[in-house]
Amino acid sequence: MKIDEPSHEAVEDIAPEVEPTASEQVALVIEDLRAMMKAEMRYHRSRLDYTRHVFRWAFRYGAVAAFAFGSASMALVLGLVLTLSPLIGPLFATLLVTISFAVVGVIFGILARKWMRKVYFPEMQKNVDDLT
């Protein structure tokens, strides 16, 4: 039996790769630039959506905190009026309402601050922009 050796004639039949012309290269570069611009636009749009989401929740928490602190100040004023009455009961009620609203205000204020800290732009921290 004779083993056939692989022939190398097929390699000679393949035509060498043709370099693209200058106009084809320019078209390829323009196509790459368009794809890059679309990717950059999608990236910045997603960052904007994320920032909008964070600001929305931070505003909600901040609004609840402002309402709670406003209510706490009204409760304090009402409590001072009630404290002038000869009974001891209104003082305890005033303190309880004032402290509870203040605690709610602190909790939602901390949540609002936590949400605001999620907004971070590394470009602003490093000053990457060469134009400024």
Side-chain angles (χ1 to χ4, degrees), residues 25-106:
Q25 288 179 350
V26 168
L28 288 173
V29 167
I30 289 175
E31 183 180 330
D32 287 345
L33 285 174
R34 283 185 183 154
M36 185 181 73
M37 279 303 293
K38 286 181 183 178
E40 285 289 325
M41 291 297 289
R42 282 193 304 265
Y43 169 72
H44 287 293
R45 193 170 291 140
S46 70
R47 278 184 59 178
L48 180 65
D49 288 341
Y50 173 73
T51 304
R52 186 181 308 127
H53 172 72
V54 169
F55 278 142
R56 183 179 298 142
W57 277 103
F59 176 76
R60 289 175 183 169
Y61 288 138
V64 171
F67 173 75
F69 277 119
S71 299
S73 64
M74 286 187 290
L76 181 63
V77 169
L78 181 63
L80 287 174
V81 171
L82 292 176
T83 305
L84 295 175
S85 68
L87 301 174
I88 293 284
L91 176 62
F92 179 70
T94 301
L95 289 176
L96 183 65
V97 168
T98 304
I99 289 172
S100 64
F101 272 109
V103 167
V104 168
V106 166

